[in-house]
Amino acid sequence: EPVNDDVIGELRNRVYFDELTGYYTYWHKVIPATGQNNNERFATQFAPAGFTGTAGWSFSDALGVGLPNDATAFEITLTDENFIRWNTINGGADWDQLERIKFFYVSTKAPGSPTSGLYNLTGTEVGTGASYAPTPEPGSMLLLGSGLAALYGARRRRNQKVQ
């Protein structure tokens, strides 16, 4: 089996919609490749549209992660550009090859195309992968649709008065 030296891990993605809240949860499972140790950061490379301020992580699929399964394992911050970063803390406790960690954030916006968002994994090497990102377009489409409906209603009322 050929080895691709450019691969530093795997990024698996899902987007969940909650009908009760109207929010979308963007979920990213990061699996560093064999030989990729000392990973310390996962981050968006864009400002997620509609970000609610809710973000987190889960070690539920980890294969012996050395990090504690509590709220002190990652620090979640927004950069000046409003990118989301998950940085390891606890004195440099990083995660290693094949240790799966799920990162997530919540948005009011539906996803764009699969290549609309870039994500970085930083450790011994830096890798970038494309995945779903929220797009502001649904709000614009709703506004356009409601404007067209209002115009239709006004024209219909005018036509009824003429008859």
Side-chain angles (χ1 to χ4, degrees), residues 1 15 18-19 23 31 35 58 61 87 106-107 117 125 133:
E1 181 172 301
V15 179
D18 184 333
E19 291 182 18
Y23 291 164
I31 307 167
S58 169
D61 290 341
N87 292 304
V106 179
S107 172
E125 297 183 40

Side-chain angles (χ1 to χ4, degrees), residues 36-58:
Q36 295 300 317
N37 297 317
N38 304 315
N39 296 287
E40 58 192 36
R41 177 185 304 140
F42 179 70
T44 65
Q45 294 302 296
F46 60 93
F51 178 54
T52 65
T54 300
W57 65 92
S58 169

Side-chain angles (χ1 to χ4, degrees), residues 4 11 21 33 40 50-51 55-57 59-60 66 68 82 92 95-96 109 112 116 130 161:
N4 182 349
L11 179 62
T21 64
E40 58 192 36
F51 178 54
W57 65 92
F59 295 110
S60 64
N82 289 319
W95 80 96
D96 296 332
K109 303 295 183 182
S116 62
K161 288 180 182 178

Side-chain angles (χ1 to χ4, degrees), residues 27 43 52 68 79-80 99-100 105 123 134 153:
W27 169 96
T52 65
T79 68
D80 291 338
E99 294 178 334
R100 297 164 172 87
Y105 62 91

